[in-house]
Amino acid sequence: MKNLIHLRDGLAEVAAGDPWEWLREVPEELPEGRLILPLKSWLALESGAGFGVWLAPEDDPEELIWRLQEPALIAIDFPSFRDGRGYSLAYLLRSRLGWRGELRAVGDVLRDQLAHMRQCGFDAFAVREDKSVEDALKGLAGLSVLYGRSVIEPRPLFRRRS
């Protein structure tokens, strides 16, 4: 994927390249390389180790619970910027299921969403290819104060005041 941003130790960086290939449709025989597979295809594998898995908005992340140590990364698809179900999936993966690996936003990912995605637990963003990745980086600085809880700050604002 082009236009990939990673968060490392709280700092955003544009990835020089991405070894992962996102397969929306899975062929009979899997190609070589690092693949991100749809949830159903990934679950059908005897071992999903070394593969990435992507969740569509309608997928249930709890289907991963018994194999959560296997995926190399989890990608969540945003088929439209208007579809907010991916935020909930990310929050559930981080807060309830304890996913600590790479959590990547893919699909219709735009600058204005990045700060909110970060609060839900995303640490990688595949910005839409027709948009500027340098401009999208500015979106990560979008929120200076959060009133409510999030994955990266579980205390609401009134609990943070001394």
Side-chain angles (χ1 to χ4, degrees), residues 4-72:
L4 184 63
I5 299 171
H6 279 133
L7 291 176
R8 305 249 190 258
D9 301 320
L11 299 174
E13 61 184 34
V14 176
D18 182 17
W20 292 95
E21 181 183 352
W22 180 21
L23 296 181
R24 286 182 177 266
E25 300 292 327
V26 179
E28 282 284 322
E29 192 168 318
L30 291 177
E32 292 292 318
R34 303 193 79 179
L35 305 174
I36 303 172
L37 304 173
L39 177 61
K40 300 289 183 225
S41 299
W42 185 86
L43 288 171
L45 297 173
E46 191 171 309
S47 171
F51 290 96
V53 60
W54 70 269
L55 302 177
E58 62 275 1
D59 287 335
D60 181 1
E62 292 197 1
E63 290 187 52
L64 293 168
I65 199 163
W66 302 111
R67 296 176 62 186
L68 201 56
Q69 73 285 355
E70 291 179 37

Side-chain angles (χ1 to χ4, degrees), residues 102-117:
E102 181 178 325
L103 187 56
R104 182 182 292 194
V106 297
D108 198 13
V109 177
L110 303 170
R111 169 191 169 155
D112 294 345
Q113 300 167 291
L114 299 188
H116 296 289
M117 288 176 169

